[in-house]
Amino acid sequence: MTTRGAIKERTDLKIKEPKRYKAVMYNDDFTPMDFVVDILMGIFKKSEEEAFKIMMTVHNNGKAIVGIYSYDIAKTKVEEAVAIAREEGYPFKVKVEEA
């Protein structure tokens, strides 16, 4: 098999980093602080110290960024956290926002 006369096509691929999304946690007056710390440690994989700091930031400032992820990961973590909160009867609020 010969390649005489074959045309080679050059393709320059420009690969872009995927957009990043923030998981943002909001304060409410009903969800217990211990529950929030447990969610941060269990779902968002924060250390106990970091989870406590984030929880206090949410408590004092009204909201805090919990993490920055690809869209699918952020959405999955947020949905899991909200589902667990609803099972426990808490109005816990976490949203996905573009970073």
Side-chain angles (χ1 to χ4, degrees):
M1 188 190 263
T2 65
T3 58
R4 191 173 57 196
I7 298 173
K8 286 188 176 183
E9 186 177 325
R10 182 180 171 153
T11 341
D12 289 330
L13 295 177
K14 293 182 181 177
I15 300 173
K16 292 193 290 185
E17 288 286 323
K19 286 185 179 180
R20 306 296 278 170
Y21 293 84
K22 302 179 283 190
V24 181
M25 188 176 287
Y26 292 86
N27 188 44
D28 67 65
D29 294 331
F30 303 101
T31 307
M33 292 179 175
D34 290 342
F35 178 83
V36 174
V37 170
D38 288 343
I39 290 290
L40 288 166
M41 290 170 49
I43 295 173
F44 294 96
K45 306 301 181 205
K46 305 298 181 186
S47 67
E48 187 172 1
E49 182 180 334
E50 189 176 9
F52 183 80
K53 286 180 184 178
I54 292 170
M55 179 273 300
M56 288 306 296
T57 300
V58 172
H59 180 70
N60 292 325
N61 299 338
K63 69 179 185 176
I65 296 171
V66 177
I68 299 176
Y69 311 95
S70 67
Y71 179 76
D72 290 338
I73 292 172
K75 185 177 182 218
T76 300
K77 287 181 179 289
V78 165
E79 287 176 351
E80 186 178 355
V82 170
I84 292 170
R86 295 303 174 267
E87 286 175 10
E88 297 294 323
Y90 301 129
F92 187 63
K93 184 176 176 185
V94 188
K95 288 182 153 185
V96 175
E97 299 177 2
E98 197 168 324

